[in-house]
Amino acid sequence: MRYMQIASELQIYVDQRYMQIASELQIYVDQRYMQIASELQIYVDQRYMQIASELQIYVDQRYMQIASELQIYVDQRYMQIASELQIYVDQRYMQIASELQIYVDQRYMQIASELQIYVDQRYMQIASELQIYADQRYMQIHVASELQIYVDHINELFNIL
């Protein structure tokens, strides 16, 4: 019976010690868990900040690269448009100059033709007036010549008488 009593007391002691150790172990595990969780949170926060910083640096570099490429594209497009516009202006200038030259040539020919017509008409008018004058002069000379012949005949008659 004493054996049973000792065994019962030993069992009670073992159970209490087990509960005490289990309780202390639980407290230790909980504290270690909290410590590890806290350290892990610190690590996660630090890693997050590091990744965020690296990502920001990458974003800034990518932004600068895209902005640079876009500026180069804009500059090239500006030069292309300016070149195309210059070509268009040059072609339009040549077209206008050609059309103006054609107009000037046509106007010159029209004025020259009108001037030639005027000169021809004036020439004909002067020639006609000159012909009329020549005819009148011829008539005056012819009349004077006949009058001279008549006067000469009268003089001869007077001389004969």
PDB file of all heavy atoms in Angstrom, residues 58-72:
ATOM      1  N   TYR A  58      14.912  52.481 -59.878  1.00  0.00           N
ATOM      2  CA  TYR A  58      14.651  51.908 -61.203  1.00  0.00           C
ATOM      3  C   TYR A  58      13.617  52.745 -61.955  1.00  0.00           C
ATOM      4  O   TYR A  58      13.791  53.028 -63.144  1.00  0.00           O
ATOM      5  CB  TYR A  58      14.156  50.464 -61.071  1.00  0.00           C
ATOM      6  CG  TYR A  58      13.723  49.882 -62.386  1.00  0.00           C
ATOM      7  CD1 TYR A  58      14.655  49.435 -63.308  1.00  0.00           C
ATOM      8  CD2 TYR A  58      12.374  49.814 -62.727  1.00  0.00           C
ATOM      9  CE1 TYR A  58      14.255  48.935 -64.543  1.00  0.00           C
ATOM     10  CE2 TYR A  58      11.972  49.316 -63.955  1.00  0.00           C
ATOM     11  CZ  TYR A  58      12.910  48.867 -64.854  1.00  0.00           C
ATOM     12  OH  TYR A  58      12.508  48.378 -66.061  1.00  0.00           O
ATOM     13  N   VAL A  59      12.542  53.107 -61.237  1.00  0.00           N
ATOM     14  CA  VAL A  59      11.482  53.913 -61.865  1.00  0.00           C
ATOM     15  C   VAL A  59      12.063  55.253 -62.326  1.00  0.00           C
ATOM     16  O   VAL A  59      11.784  55.706 -63.447  1.00  0.00           O
ATOM     17  CB  VAL A  59      10.289  54.117 -60.908  1.00  0.00           C
ATOM     18  CG1 VAL A  59       9.346  55.205 -61.406  1.00  0.00           C
ATOM     19  CG2 VAL A  59       9.541  52.800 -60.711  1.00  0.00           C
ATOM     20  N   ASP A  60      12.878  55.892 -61.460  1.00  0.00           N
ATOM     21  CA  ASP A  60      13.489  57.172 -61.840  1.00  0.00           C
ATOM     22  C   ASP A  60      14.394  57.010 -63.061  1.00  0.00           C
ATOM     23  O   ASP A  60      14.344  57.826 -63.993  1.00  0.00           O
ATOM     24  CB  ASP A  60      14.300  57.749 -60.666  1.00  0.00           C
ATOM     25  CG  ASP A  60      13.402  58.218 -59.520  1.00  0.00           C
ATOM     26  OD1 ASP A  60      12.177  58.321 -59.722  1.00  0.00           O
ATOM     27  OD2 ASP A  60      13.942  58.477 -58.427  1.00  0.00           O
ATOM     28  N   GLN A  61      15.225  55.945 -63.070  1.00  0.00           N
ATOM     29  CA  GLN A  61      16.113  55.705 -64.210  1.00  0.00           C
ATOM     30  C   GLN A  61      15.311  55.418 -65.474  1.00  0.00           C
ATOM     31  O   GLN A  61      15.631  55.927 -66.548  1.00  0.00           O
ATOM     32  CB  GLN A  61      17.059  54.533 -63.910  1.00  0.00           C
ATOM     33  CG  GLN A  61      18.114  54.852 -62.870  1.00  0.00           C
ATOM     34  CD  GLN A  61      18.914  53.630 -62.455  1.00  0.00           C
ATOM     35  OE1 GLN A  61      18.483  52.494 -62.639  1.00  0.00           O
ATOM     36  NE2 GLN A  61      20.084  53.862 -61.878  1.00  0.00           N
ATOM     37  N   ARG A  62      14.275  54.592 -65.318  1.00  0.00           N
ATOM     38  CA  ARG A  62      13.421  54.254 -66.480  1.00  0.00           C
ATOM     39  C   ARG A  62      12.703  55.500 -66.978  1.00  0.00           C
ATOM     40  O   ARG A  62      12.585  55.706 -68.193  1.00  0.00           O
ATOM     41  CB  ARG A  62      12.409  53.175 -66.065  1.00  0.00           C
ATOM     42  CG  ARG A  62      11.650  52.594 -67.228  1.00  0.00           C
ATOM     43  CD  ARG A  62      12.534  51.743 -68.123  1.00  0.00           C
ATOM     44  NE  ARG A  62      11.744  51.245 -69.250  1.00  0.00           N
ATOM     45  CZ  ARG A  62      11.998  51.462 -70.513  1.00  0.00           C
ATOM     46  NH1 ARG A  62      13.067  52.148 -70.864  1.00  0.00           N
ATOM     47  NH2 ARG A  62      11.231  50.987 -71.461  1.00  0.00           N
ATOM     48  N   TYR A  63      12.236  56.327 -66.049  1.00  0.00           N
ATOM     49  CA  TYR A  63      11.563  57.574 -66.416  1.00  0.00           C
ATOM     50  C   TYR A  63      12.525  58.468 -67.198  1.00  0.00           C
ATOM     51  O   TYR A  63      12.154  59.019 -68.237  1.00  0.00           O
ATOM     52  CB  TYR A  63      11.062  58.284 -65.165  1.00  0.00           C
ATOM     53  CG  TYR A  63      10.510  59.656 -65.432  1.00  0.00           C
ATOM     54  CD1 TYR A  63       9.216  59.832 -65.913  1.00  0.00           C
ATOM     55  CD2 TYR A  63      11.297  60.795 -65.217  1.00  0.00           C
ATOM     56  CE1 TYR A  63       8.718  61.092 -66.171  1.00  0.00           C
ATOM     57  CE2 TYR A  63      10.797  62.057 -65.480  1.00  0.00           C
ATOM     58  CZ  TYR A  63       9.515  62.204 -65.944  1.00  0.00           C
ATOM     59  OH  TYR A  63       9.024  63.454 -66.205  1.00  0.00           O
ATOM     60  N   MET A  64      13.764  58.596 -66.691  1.00  0.00           N
ATOM     61  CA  MET A  64      14.750  59.429 -67.383  1.00  0.00           C
ATOM     62  C   MET A  64      15.079  58.855 -68.765  1.00  0.00           C
ATOM     63  O   MET A  64      15.220  59.599 -69.727  1.00  0.00           O
ATOM     64  CB  MET A  64      16.034  59.543 -66.544  1.00  0.00           C
ATOM     65  CG  MET A  64      15.863  60.366 -65.271  1.00  0.00           C
ATOM     66  SD  MET A  64      15.287  62.060 -65.582  1.00  0.00           S
ATOM     67  CE  MET A  64      16.749  62.785 -66.302  1.00  0.00           C
ATOM     68  N   GLN A  65      15.190  57.505 -68.844  1.00  0.00           N
ATOM     69  CA  GLN A  65      15.481  56.861 -70.123  1.00  0.00           C
ATOM     70  C   GLN A  65      14.337  57.102 -71.109  1.00  0.00           C
ATOM     71  O   GLN A  65      14.575  57.479 -72.263  1.00  0.00           O
ATOM     72  CB  GLN A  65      15.678  55.359 -69.913  1.00  0.00           C
ATOM     73  CG  GLN A  65      16.006  54.600 -71.186  1.00  0.00           C
ATOM     74  CD  GLN A  65      16.095  53.100 -70.954  1.00  0.00           C
ATOM     75  OE1 GLN A  65      15.947  52.629 -69.827  1.00  0.00           O
ATOM     76  NE2 GLN A  65      16.323  52.353 -72.012  1.00  0.00           N
ATOM     77  N   ILE A  66      13.092  56.907 -70.649  1.00  0.00           N
ATOM     78  CA  ILE A  66      11.924  57.118 -71.519  1.00  0.00           C
ATOM     79  C   ILE A  66      11.839  58.588 -71.917  1.00  0.00           C
ATOM     80  O   ILE A  66      11.583  58.907 -73.084  1.00  0.00           O
ATOM     81  CB  ILE A  66      10.629  56.644 -70.812  1.00  0.00           C
ATOM     82  CG1 ILE A  66      10.635  55.115 -70.693  1.00  0.00           C
ATOM     83  CG2 ILE A  66       9.387  57.121 -71.557  1.00  0.00           C
ATOM     84  CD1 ILE A  66       9.554  54.549 -69.802  1.00  0.00           C
ATOM     85  N   ALA A  67      12.068  59.487 -70.927  1.00  0.00           N
ATOM     86  CA  ALA A  67      12.014  60.923 -71.238  1.00  0.00           C
ATOM     87  C   ALA A  67      13.086  61.282 -72.261  1.00  0.00           C
ATOM     88  O   ALA A  67      12.835  62.063 -73.193  1.00  0.00           O
ATOM     89  CB  ALA A  67      12.203  61.747 -69.960  1.00  0.00           C
ATOM     90  N   SER A  68      14.284  60.712 -72.120  1.00  0.00           N
ATOM     91  CA  SER A  68      15.372  60.968 -73.065  1.00  0.00           C
ATOM     92  C   SER A  68      15.012  60.435 -74.451  1.00  0.00           C
ATOM     93  O   SER A  68      15.212  61.113 -75.461  1.00  0.00           O
ATOM     94  CB  SER A  68      16.660  60.316 -72.559  1.00  0.00           C
ATOM     95  OG  SER A  68      17.698  60.460 -73.485  1.00  0.00           O
ATOM     96  N   GLU A  69      14.501  59.178 -74.498  1.00  0.00           N
ATOM     97  CA  GLU A  69      14.105  58.585 -75.781  1.00  0.00           C
ATOM     98  C   GLU A  69      12.980  59.388 -76.421  1.00  0.00           C
ATOM     99  O   GLU A  69      12.969  59.599 -77.635  1.00  0.00           O
ATOM    100  CB  GLU A  69      13.686  57.132 -75.590  1.00  0.00           C
ATOM    101  CG  GLU A  69      14.850  56.211 -75.223  1.00  0.00           C
ATOM    102  CD  GLU A  69      14.411  54.819 -74.800  1.00  0.00           C
ATOM    103  OE1 GLU A  69      13.181  54.572 -74.763  1.00  0.00           O
ATOM    104  OE2 GLU A  69      15.277  53.988 -74.500  1.00  0.00           O
ATOM    105  N   LEU A  70      12.040  59.837 -75.595  1.00  0.00           N
ATOM    106  CA  LEU A  70      10.928  60.634 -76.113  1.00  0.00           C
ATOM    107  C   LEU A  70      11.441  61.967 -76.648  1.00  0.00           C
ATOM    108  O   LEU A  70      11.001  62.428 -77.711  1.00  0.00           O
ATOM    109  CB  LEU A  70       9.893  60.868 -75.008  1.00  0.00           C
ATOM    110  CG  LEU A  70       8.586  61.538 -75.419  1.00  0.00           C
ATOM    111  CD1 LEU A  70       7.879  60.726 -76.496  1.00  0.00           C
ATOM    112  CD2 LEU A  70       7.671  61.712 -74.205  1.00  0.00           C
ATOM    113  N   GLN A  71      12.394  62.584 -75.940  1.00  0.00           N
ATOM    114  CA  GLN A  71      12.970  63.845 -76.398  1.00  0.00           C
ATOM    115  C   GLN A  71      13.688  63.641 -77.723  1.00  0.00           C
ATOM    116  O   GLN A  71      13.557  64.447 -78.643  1.00  0.00           O
ATOM    117  CB  GLN A  71      13.928  64.411 -75.344  1.00  0.00           C
ATOM    118  CG  GLN A  71      14.456  65.787 -75.676  1.00  0.00           C
ATOM    119  CD  GLN A  71      13.347  66.823 -75.802  1.00  0.00           C
ATOM    120  OE1 GLN A  71      12.481  66.897 -74.960  1.00  0.00           O
ATOM    121  NE2 GLN A  71      13.357  67.601 -76.863  1.00  0.00           N
ATOM    122  N   ILE A  72      14.452  62.546 -77.818  1.00  0.00           N
ATOM    123  CA  ILE A  72      15.148  62.236 -79.070  1.00  0.00           C
ATOM    124  C   ILE A  72      14.128  62.046 -80.190  1.00  0.00           C
ATOM    125  O   ILE A  72      14.293  62.575 -81.287  1.00  0.00           O
ATOM    126  CB  ILE A  72      16.025  60.967 -78.909  1.00  0.00           C
ATOM    127  CG1 ILE A  72      17.214  61.269 -77.978  1.00  0.00           C
ATOM    128  CG2 ILE A  72      16.521  60.452 -80.262  1.00  0.00           C
ATOM    129  CD1 ILE A  72      17.967  60.043 -77.507  1.00  0.00           C
TER     130      ILE A  72
END
